[in-house]
Each structure stands twice: as structure tokens, then as C-alpha cells.
């Protein structure tokens, strides 16, 4: 596409802000469970932080938080609402941070909006301290395959799908991904997988009336 699809959140920012707190309860609770509550003094980056709602939660638990997002509209909202947190407009593929800065990097329903997540994993590894945690929640590859609405399509061929989210209040476009993109050799050479879970998400549209994973969440720890 001629326009980076991640910038679509500028267009839907008002609807996203109005609806995500109430409809994201299940995935938000799971994310917070994986991050845990022992954050005192930890340097945490909320990658693709949106309007800063989750970043503010992590700060309330004692973390020293920064947020990065590609949407200028959402960053403006975050800066206005949570002035004690540093928010920056920018891309996950080229983060404006020094090497080995953060103890934790979190990202919820975000990194899969990039056609090539390899550079994102490179950057996360770069900015994390040794034994730092990367916790990310993404649209499940099975859900993306079903959202093509063509079960004869090629799972391995990347395409773009429209996802109706937040109880069908917002529609976003995402490139499809395979499990191998999340767990390939290059990633496993840098990170140890400490936890993984597939979850149903009632806030996502259910195609064909079936029940299947809406998202998956992974906790990785950077090797020394």
C-alpha cells in the first residue's frame, strides 16, 4: 500500500480511544498477568503504546515508563492525559533509544501491523538489557487466516486482511503472518521463550460462527 497501514490509527483514533478500554478487558488482563506486578524501578518501554492507557498502568506499579507509537494522534492524546510519561512518535523498526536501556518491552496488538517483523525483533533485542523481557500480544495467525474468508487461500502467502475489532466498532487492515515469523531460528537464537498462550477474544469478530484463538501472547527473555 502507498500509505503505511500503521498510520490508519490516526484515522480511527477517536473511535479507538472511545471503545478500547471497555472492549479490551480480556486481552488487557492477560497482558497484565504476563507482565506481572513487580515493576518497581524497572525501565519499561510500551512499544506501540496507543493512547498511553497501559503505559500509565505500568507506571502506577512503579515502573519508569516510556511509550513509542507511529500514530501522532494517539501520541498527542497520551501526552495530554499522562504528562509524567515520556511519549515519542516513531517506528518500532527504528527506535530512538540507546542499546541495552530497558528491563522490559511490552507490546499489545501492534507488531503484526508491520509487513516484516524481523527489524522489530532486531530493535527490541538491541534496546533490551541482557535477561530483559519482551512480552508481546498479537493477532493469532489462525484468526488472520480465517479472516481472509477464503479457506482455499495460501496460508504461507502474505496478504492483507480487514479485522473488525472492539466489538465491531473499528475496522483495521493487517498483513498476515505465520507462526514461523514469530518463532524462527533468528529469534530463538536471541531469546528464550518463558511463556506462551493462545486465547479466545470476544472483542474480535468471529468468522463463520466458530470459536478460535483471537490472539496469542508470548514472554521472551533476551539471552546474555
Amino acid at each position: 500500500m502507498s500509505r503505511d497501514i500503521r498510520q490508519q490509527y490516526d484515522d480511527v483514533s477517536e473511535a479507538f480511544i472511545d471503545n478500547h478500554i471497555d472492549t479490551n478487558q480480556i486481552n488487557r488482563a492477560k497482558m497484565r498477568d504476563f507482565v506481572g506486578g513487580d515493576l518497581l524501578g524497572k525501565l519499561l518501554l510500551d512499544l506501540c503504546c496507543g493512547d498511553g492507557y497501559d503505559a500509565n498502568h505500568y507506571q502506577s506499579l512503579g515502573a519508569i515508563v516510556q511509550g513509542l507509537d507511529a500514530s501522532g494522534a494517539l501520541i498527542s492524546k497520551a501526552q495530554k492525559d499522562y504528562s509524567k510519561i515520556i511519549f515519542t512518535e516513531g517506528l518500532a523498526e527504528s527506535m530512538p533509544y540507546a542499546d541495552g536501556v530497558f528491563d522490559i518491552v511490552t507490546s499489545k496488538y501492534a507488531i503484526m501491523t508491520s509487513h516484516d517483523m524481523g527489524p522489530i525483533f532486531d530493535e527490541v533485542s538491541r534496546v533490551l538489557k541482557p535477561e530483559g523481557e519482551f512480552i508481546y500480544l498479537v493477532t493469532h495467525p489462525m484468526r488472520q487466516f480465517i479472516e481472509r474468508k477464503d479457506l482455499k487461500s495460501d496460508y504461507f502467502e502474505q496478504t492483507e486482511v480487514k479485522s473488525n475489532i472492539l466489538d465491531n466498532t473499528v475496522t483495521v487492515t493487517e498483513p498476515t503472518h505465520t507462526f514461523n515469523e514469530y518463532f524462527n531460528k533468528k529469534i530463538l537464537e536471541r531469546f528464550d521463550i518463558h511463556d506462551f498462550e493462545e486465547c479466545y477474544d470476544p472483542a474480535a469478530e468471529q468468522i463463520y460462527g466458530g470459536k478460535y484463538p483471537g490472539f496469542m501472547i508470548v514472554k521472551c527473555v533476551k539471552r546474555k
Side-chain angles (χ1 to χ4, degrees), residues 15-219:
F16 180 85
I17 291 166
D18 289 342
N19 294 287
H20 80 91
I21 294 174
D22 292 332
T23 56
N24 269 342
Q25 292 181 23
I26 288 180
N27 58 67
R28 176 165 284 117
K30 182 60 63 176
M31 186 74 179
R32 291 178 178 182
D33 181 56
F34 266 57
V35 174
D38 184 16
L39 300 180
L40 186 63
K42 299 288 183 68
L43 275 66
L44 184 149
L45 172 64
D46 192 10
L47 183 62
C48 310
C49 61
D51 64 358
Y53 184 82
D54 293 312
N56 182 62
H57 169 75
Y58 300 136
Q59 185 187 59
S60 74
L61 296 177
I64 302 166
V65 181
Q66 295 199 40
L68 182 74
D69 200 279
S71 170
L74 290 174
I75 285 293
S76 294
K77 172 69 172 172
Q79 290 175 330
K80 179 180 177 181
D81 289 349
Y82 311 112
S83 60
K84 294 183 180 180
I85 299 174
I86 298 174
F87 293 101
T88 304
E89 183 180 348
L91 298 178
E93 293 89 343
S94 54
M95 301 185 208
Y97 308 112
D99 297 354
V101 173
F102 296 101
D103 298 294
I104 303 171
V105 175
T106 62
S107 186
K108 180 166 68 68
Y109 268 141
I111 65 172
M112 72 283 166
T113 59
S114 176
H115 287 85
D116 180 5
M117 295 182 297
I120 297 177
F121 282 101
D122 290 341
E123 279 290 88
V124 170
S125 178
R126 181 184 68 78
V127 303
L128 270 177
K129 298 176 181 178
E131 298 187 296
E133 296 180 347
F134 180 32
I135 301 161
Y136 62 90
L137 185 155
V138 293
T139 306
H140 197 287
M142 178 183 292
R143 172 181 154 193
Q144 290 190 318
F145 181 70
I146 293 173
E147 285 180 337
R148 299 183 189 207
K149 299 180 180 178
D150 179 6
L151 298 183
K152 295 181 180 180
S153 62
D154 184 350
Y155 166 80
F156 298 98
E157 180 183 3
Q158 188 178 80
T159 186
E160 292 179 352
V161 295
K162 290 189 180 297
S163 295
N164 294 320
I165 63 173
L166 307 181
D167 289 343
N168 293 314
T169 60
V170 175
T171 300
V172 295
T173 300
E174 296 177 356
T176 59
H177 297 285
T178 65
F179 277 103
N180 190 62
E181 292 176 74
Y182 294 105
F183 303 112
N184 61 40
K185 181 179 179 181
K186 182 179 179 181
I187 292 166
L188 296 179
E189 286 176 344
R190 298 178 181 180
F191 297 96
D192 292 320
I193 308 299
H194 279 213
D195 206 350
F196 169 80
E197 192 169 342
E198 302 170 293
C199 300
Y200 172 70
D201 192 349
E205 181 185 11
Q206 299 302 298
I207 308 297
Y208 305 128
K211 186 174 182 179
Y212 48 85
F215 65 86
M216 66 182 191
I217 183 169
V218 186
K219 178 184 282 190

